[in-house]
mmCIF file of all heavy atoms in Angstrom:
data_model
loop_
_atom_site.group_PDB
_atom_site.id
_atom_site.type_symbol
_atom_site.label_atom_id
_atom_site.label_comp_id
_atom_site.label_asym_id
_atom_site.label_seq_id
_atom_site.Cartn_x
_atom_site.Cartn_y
_atom_site.Cartn_z
ATOM 1 N N ALA A 61 -24.495 53.318 -37.151
ATOM 2 C CA ALA A 61 -25.336 53.097 -38.318
ATOM 3 C C ALA A 61 -26.403 52.028 -38.028
ATOM 4 O O ALA A 61 -27.580 52.208 -38.397
ATOM 5 C CB ALA A 61 -24.493 52.689 -39.520
ATOM 6 N N ARG A 62 -25.990 50.953 -37.379
ATOM 7 C CA ARG A 62 -26.959 49.874 -37.048
ATOM 8 C C ARG A 62 -28.029 50.405 -36.095
ATOM 9 O O ARG A 62 -29.218 50.104 -36.260
ATOM 10 C CB ARG A 62 -26.236 48.684 -36.401
ATOM 11 C CG ARG A 62 -25.464 47.825 -37.384
ATOM 12 C CD ARG A 62 -25.087 46.491 -36.760
ATOM 13 N NE ARG A 62 -24.208 46.637 -35.593
ATOM 14 C CZ ARG A 62 -22.902 46.698 -35.661
ATOM 15 N NH1 ARG A 62 -22.282 46.611 -36.826
ATOM 16 N NH2 ARG A 62 -22.181 46.830 -34.543
ATOM 17 N N TYR A 63 -27.608 51.206 -35.107
ATOM 18 C CA TYR A 63 -28.576 51.754 -34.167
ATOM 19 C C TYR A 63 -29.522 52.737 -34.851
ATOM 20 O O TYR A 63 -30.741 52.752 -34.589
ATOM 21 C CB TYR A 63 -27.853 52.468 -33.009
ATOM 22 C CG TYR A 63 -28.790 53.020 -31.983
ATOM 23 C CD1 TYR A 63 -29.545 52.176 -31.171
ATOM 24 C CD2 TYR A 63 -28.958 54.402 -31.823
ATOM 25 C CE1 TYR A 63 -30.414 52.677 -30.204
ATOM 26 C CE2 TYR A 63 -29.814 54.910 -30.872
ATOM 27 C CZ TYR A 63 -30.556 54.066 -30.072
ATOM 28 O OH TYR A 63 -31.432 54.546 -29.156
ATOM 29 N N SER A 64 -28.991 53.525 -35.794
ATOM 30 C CA SER A 64 -29.829 54.471 -36.527
ATOM 31 C C SER A 64 -30.901 53.746 -37.336
ATOM 32 O O SER A 64 -32.064 54.161 -37.368
ATOM 33 C CB SER A 64 -28.949 55.316 -37.451
ATOM 34 O OG SER A 64 -29.751 56.224 -38.184
ATOM 35 N N LYS A 65 -30.519 52.639 -37.960
ATOM 36 C CA LYS A 65 -31.519 51.853 -38.707
ATOM 37 C C LYS A 65 -32.560 51.225 -37.781
ATOM 38 O O LYS A 65 -33.754 51.172 -38.117
ATOM 39 C CB LYS A 65 -30.800 50.723 -39.478
ATOM 40 C CG LYS A 65 -29.958 51.193 -40.643
ATOM 41 C CD LYS A 65 -29.323 50.029 -41.409
ATOM 42 C CE LYS A 65 -30.358 49.165 -42.087
ATOM 43 N NZ LYS A 65 -29.725 48.092 -42.872
ATOM 44 N N LEU A 66 -32.137 50.836 -36.592
ATOM 45 C CA LEU A 66 -33.046 50.234 -35.614
ATOM 46 C C LEU A 66 -34.122 51.196 -35.171
ATOM 47 O O LEU A 66 -35.283 50.826 -34.985
ATOM 48 C CB LEU A 66 -32.249 49.734 -34.389
ATOM 49 C CG LEU A 66 -33.027 49.051 -33.282
ATOM 50 C CD1 LEU A 66 -33.626 47.744 -33.771
ATOM 51 C CD2 LEU A 66 -32.126 48.789 -32.074
ATOM 52 N N ILE A 67 -33.776 52.476 -34.998
ATOM 53 C CA ILE A 67 -34.716 53.471 -34.487
ATOM 54 C C ILE A 67 -35.299 54.330 -35.616
ATOM 55 O O ILE A 67 -36.026 55.294 -35.333
ATOM 56 C CB ILE A 67 -34.083 54.373 -33.430
ATOM 57 C CG1 ILE A 67 -32.918 55.193 -34.049
ATOM 58 C CG2 ILE A 67 -33.598 53.598 -32.229
ATOM 59 C CD1 ILE A 67 -32.317 56.238 -33.133
ATOM 60 N N ASN A 68 -34.972 53.975 -36.878
ATOM 61 C CA ASN A 68 -35.397 54.803 -38.013
ATOM 62 C C ASN A 68 -34.948 56.251 -37.824
ATOM 63 O O ASN A 68 -35.737 57.199 -37.958
ATOM 64 C CB ASN A 68 -36.923 54.747 -38.203
ATOM 65 C CG ASN A 68 -37.389 53.360 -38.576
ATOM 66 O OD1 ASN A 68 -36.767 52.690 -39.408
ATOM 67 N ND2 ASN A 68 -38.490 52.917 -37.994
ATOM 68 N N GLY A 69 -33.720 56.412 -37.439
ATOM 69 C CA GLY A 69 -33.184 57.741 -37.101
ATOM 70 C C GLY A 69 -32.884 58.611 -38.308
ATOM 71 O O GLY A 69 -32.706 58.140 -39.428
ATOM 72 N N ILE A 70 -32.847 59.909 -38.043
ATOM 73 C CA ILE A 70 -32.477 60.904 -39.076
ATOM 74 C C ILE A 70 -31.326 61.733 -38.563
ATOM 75 O O ILE A 70 -31.111 61.831 -37.333
ATOM 76 C CB ILE A 70 -33.677 61.796 -39.473
ATOM 77 C CG1 ILE A 70 -34.216 62.566 -38.220
ATOM 78 C CG2 ILE A 70 -34.768 60.974 -40.072
ATOM 79 C CD1 ILE A 70 -33.732 63.971 -38.106
ATOM 80 N N THR A 71 -30.602 62.357 -39.459
ATOM 81 C CA THR A 71 -29.528 63.245 -39.046
ATOM 82 C C THR A 71 -30.105 64.669 -38.897
ATOM 83 O O THR A 71 -30.554 65.265 -39.879
ATOM 84 C CB THR A 71 -28.387 63.294 -40.108
ATOM 85 O OG1 THR A 71 -27.920 61.958 -40.290
ATOM 86 C CG2 THR A 71 -27.267 64.194 -39.652
ATOM 87 N N PRO A 72 -30.160 65.185 -37.662
ATOM 88 C CA PRO A 72 -30.774 66.508 -37.456
ATOM 89 C C PRO A 72 -29.908 67.611 -38.014
ATOM 90 O O PRO A 72 -28.666 67.467 -38.104
ATOM 91 C CB PRO A 72 -30.893 66.600 -35.936
ATOM 92 C CG PRO A 72 -29.773 65.747 -35.424
ATOM 93 C CD PRO A 72 -29.656 64.614 -36.396
ATOM 94 N N LYS A 73 -30.523 68.709 -38.367
ATOM 95 C CA LYS A 73 -29.769 69.874 -38.792
ATOM 96 C C LYS A 73 -29.171 70.576 -37.565
ATOM 97 O O LYS A 73 -29.802 70.583 -36.511
ATOM 98 C CB LYS A 73 -30.688 70.875 -39.529
ATOM 99 C CG LYS A 73 -31.266 70.319 -40.831
ATOM 100 C CD LYS A 73 -32.185 71.343 -41.475
ATOM 101 C CE LYS A 73 -32.751 70.811 -42.779
ATOM 102 N NZ LYS A 73 -33.684 71.807 -43.417
ATOM 103 N N ILE A 74 -27.986 71.076 -37.712
ATOM 104 C CA ILE A 74 -27.342 71.837 -36.625
ATOM 105 C C ILE A 74 -27.534 73.310 -36.863
ATOM 106 O O ILE A 74 -27.170 73.835 -37.924
ATOM 107 C CB ILE A 74 -25.833 71.490 -36.532
ATOM 108 C CG1 ILE A 74 -25.604 69.990 -36.420
ATOM 109 C CG2 ILE A 74 -25.189 72.233 -35.378
ATOM 110 C CD1 ILE A 74 -26.230 69.347 -35.201
ATOM 111 N N ASN A 75 -28.166 73.985 -35.909
ATOM 112 C CA ASN A 75 -28.404 75.411 -36.076
ATOM 113 C C ASN A 75 -27.541 76.230 -35.133
ATOM 114 O O ASN A 75 -26.958 75.704 -34.179
ATOM 115 C CB ASN A 75 -29.891 75.742 -35.848
ATOM 116 C CG ASN A 75 -30.338 75.490 -34.423
ATOM 117 O OD1 ASN A 75 -29.924 76.189 -33.481
ATOM 118 N ND2 ASN A 75 -31.200 74.499 -34.234
ATOM 119 N N GLU A 76 -27.445 77.519 -35.400
ATOM 120 C CA GLU A 76 -26.661 78.422 -34.555
ATOM 121 C C GLU A 76 -27.566 79.350 -33.752
ATOM 122 O O GLU A 76 -27.107 80.358 -33.196
ATOM 123 C CB GLU A 76 -25.738 79.248 -35.472
ATOM 124 C CG GLU A 76 -24.731 78.450 -36.273
ATOM 125 C CD GLU A 76 -23.709 77.753 -35.405
ATOM 126 O OE1 GLU A 76 -23.427 78.266 -34.295
ATOM 127 O OE2 GLU A 76 -23.215 76.688 -35.801
ATOM 128 N N LYS A 77 -28.848 79.050 -33.710
ATOM 129 C CA LYS A 77 -29.827 79.949 -33.070
ATOM 130 C C LYS A 77 -30.143 79.562 -31.643
ATOM 131 O O LYS A 77 -31.076 80.080 -31.022
ATOM 132 C CB LYS A 77 -31.115 79.960 -33.881
ATOM 133 C CG LYS A 77 -30.926 80.381 -35.325
ATOM 134 C CD LYS A 77 -32.227 80.242 -36.117
ATOM 135 C CE LYS A 77 -32.031 80.632 -37.578
ATOM 136 N NZ LYS A 77 -33.303 80.471 -38.350
ATOM 137 N N LYS A 78 -29.417 78.595 -31.085
ATOM 138 C CA LYS A 78 -29.694 78.086 -29.737
ATOM 139 C C LYS A 78 -31.101 77.568 -29.623
ATOM 140 O O LYS A 78 -31.790 77.760 -28.593
ATOM 141 C CB LYS A 78 -29.447 79.171 -28.683
ATOM 142 C CG LYS A 78 -28.035 79.715 -28.647
ATOM 143 C CD LYS A 78 -27.871 80.750 -27.539
ATOM 144 C CE LYS A 78 -26.518 81.427 -27.612
ATOM 145 N NZ LYS A 78 -26.332 82.461 -26.579
ATOM 146 N N SER A 79 -31.569 76.896 -30.671
ATOM 147 C CA SER A 79 -32.950 76.410 -30.679
ATOM 148 C C SER A 79 -32.995 74.903 -30.836
ATOM 149 O O SER A 79 -32.059 74.279 -31.373
ATOM 150 C CB SER A 79 -33.740 77.074 -31.791
ATOM 151 O OG SER A 79 -33.275 76.681 -33.046
ATOM 152 N N ILE A 80 -34.108 74.329 -30.381
ATOM 153 C CA ILE A 80 -34.401 72.902 -30.551
ATOM 154 C C ILE A 80 -35.695 72.792 -31.311
ATOM 155 O O ILE A 80 -36.721 73.379 -30.875
ATOM 156 C CB ILE A 80 -34.510 72.198 -29.195
ATOM 157 C CG1 ILE A 80 -33.192 72.237 -28.440
ATOM 158 C CG2 ILE A 80 -34.934 70.726 -29.388
ATOM 159 C CD1 ILE A 80 -33.271 71.681 -27.020
ATOM 160 N N ASN A 81 -35.704 72.121 -32.412
ATOM 161 C CA ASN A 81 -36.929 71.890 -33.168
ATOM 162 C C ASN A 81 -37.055 70.402 -33.512
ATOM 163 O O ASN A 81 -36.438 69.919 -34.456
ATOM 164 C CB ASN A 81 -36.957 72.737 -34.453
ATOM 165 C CG ASN A 81 -38.240 72.567 -35.224
ATOM 166 O OD1 ASN A 81 -39.301 72.308 -34.642
ATOM 167 N ND2 ASN A 81 -38.180 72.710 -36.527
ATOM 168 N N LEU A 82 -37.788 69.669 -32.684
ATOM 169 C CA LEU A 82 -37.956 68.228 -32.872
ATOM 170 C C LEU A 82 -39.339 67.979 -33.477
ATOM 171 O O LEU A 82 -40.352 68.303 -32.846
ATOM 172 C CB LEU A 82 -37.801 67.496 -31.536
ATOM 173 C CG LEU A 82 -36.458 67.682 -30.825
ATOM 174 C CD1 LEU A 82 -36.468 67.008 -29.456
ATOM 175 C CD2 LEU A 82 -35.331 67.095 -31.681
ATOM 176 N N ILE A 83 -39.376 67.400 -34.657
ATOM 177 C CA ILE A 83 -40.617 67.127 -35.357
ATOM 178 C C ILE A 83 -40.983 65.637 -35.237
ATOM 179 O O ILE A 83 -40.207 64.791 -35.661
ATOM 180 C CB ILE A 83 -40.503 67.530 -36.838
ATOM 181 C CG1 ILE A 83 -40.047 68.994 -36.962
ATOM 182 C CG2 ILE A 83 -41.820 67.314 -37.565
ATOM 183 C CD1 ILE A 83 -39.676 69.379 -38.379
ATOM 184 N N ALA A 84 -42.123 65.364 -34.656
ATOM 185 C CA ALA A 84 -42.594 63.983 -34.466
ATOM 186 C C ALA A 84 -41.497 63.122 -33.824
ATOM 187 O O ALA A 84 -41.209 62.004 -34.289
ATOM 188 C CB ALA A 84 -43.010 63.387 -35.821
ATOM 189 N N ALA A 85 -40.902 63.669 -32.746
ATOM 190 C CA ALA A 85 -39.887 62.923 -32.006
ATOM 191 C C ALA A 85 -40.537 61.735 -31.291
ATOM 192 O O ALA A 85 -41.663 61.827 -30.813
ATOM 193 C CB ALA A 85 -39.197 63.838 -31.004
ATOM 194 N N LYS A 86 -39.815 60.631 -31.213
ATOM 195 C CA LYS A 86 -40.398 59.413 -30.643
ATOM 196 C C LYS A 86 -39.755 59.080 -29.311
ATOM 197 O O LYS A 86 -38.574 59.296 -29.093
ATOM 198 C CB LYS A 86 -40.197 58.239 -31.611
ATOM 199 C CG LYS A 86 -40.977 58.356 -32.922
ATOM 200 C CD LYS A 86 -40.552 57.301 -33.912
ATOM 201 C CE LYS A 86 -40.860 55.891 -33.383
ATOM 202 N NZ LYS A 86 -40.491 54.846 -34.353
ATOM 203 N N HIS A 87 -40.613 58.561 -28.415
ATOM 204 C CA HIS A 87 -40.170 58.029 -27.138
ATOM 205 C C HIS A 87 -40.869 56.709 -26.898
ATOM 206 O O HIS A 87 -42.065 56.572 -27.257
ATOM 207 C CB HIS A 87 -40.475 59.012 -26.013
ATOM 208 C CG HIS A 87 -39.884 58.630 -24.676
ATOM 209 N ND1 HIS A 87 -40.405 57.643 -23.890
ATOM 210 C CD2 HIS A 87 -38.810 59.113 -24.026
ATOM 211 C CE1 HIS A 87 -39.683 57.513 -22.813
ATOM 212 N NE2 HIS A 87 -38.682 58.399 -22.850
ATOM 213 N N PRO A 88 -40.221 55.691 -26.314
ATOM 214 C CA PRO A 88 -40.858 54.365 -26.154
ATOM 215 C C PRO A 88 -42.178 54.393 -25.373
ATOM 216 O O PRO A 88 -43.021 53.511 -25.554
ATOM 217 C CB PRO A 88 -39.784 53.562 -25.420
ATOM 218 C CG PRO A 88 -38.521 54.251 -25.717
ATOM 219 C CD PRO A 88 -38.849 55.705 -25.843
#
Side-chain angles (χ1 to χ4, degrees):
R62 284 195 299 270
Y63 182 67
S64 179
K65 290 182 66 177
L66 180 66
I67 62 173
N68 295 319
I70 59 100
T71 302
K73 296 179 179 179
I74 305 300
N75 65 69
E76 299 295 332
K77 302 176 182 178
K78 301 182 186 178
S79 66
I80 297 174
N81 182 29
L82 299 176
I83 305 170
K86 293 171 62 179
H87 188 283

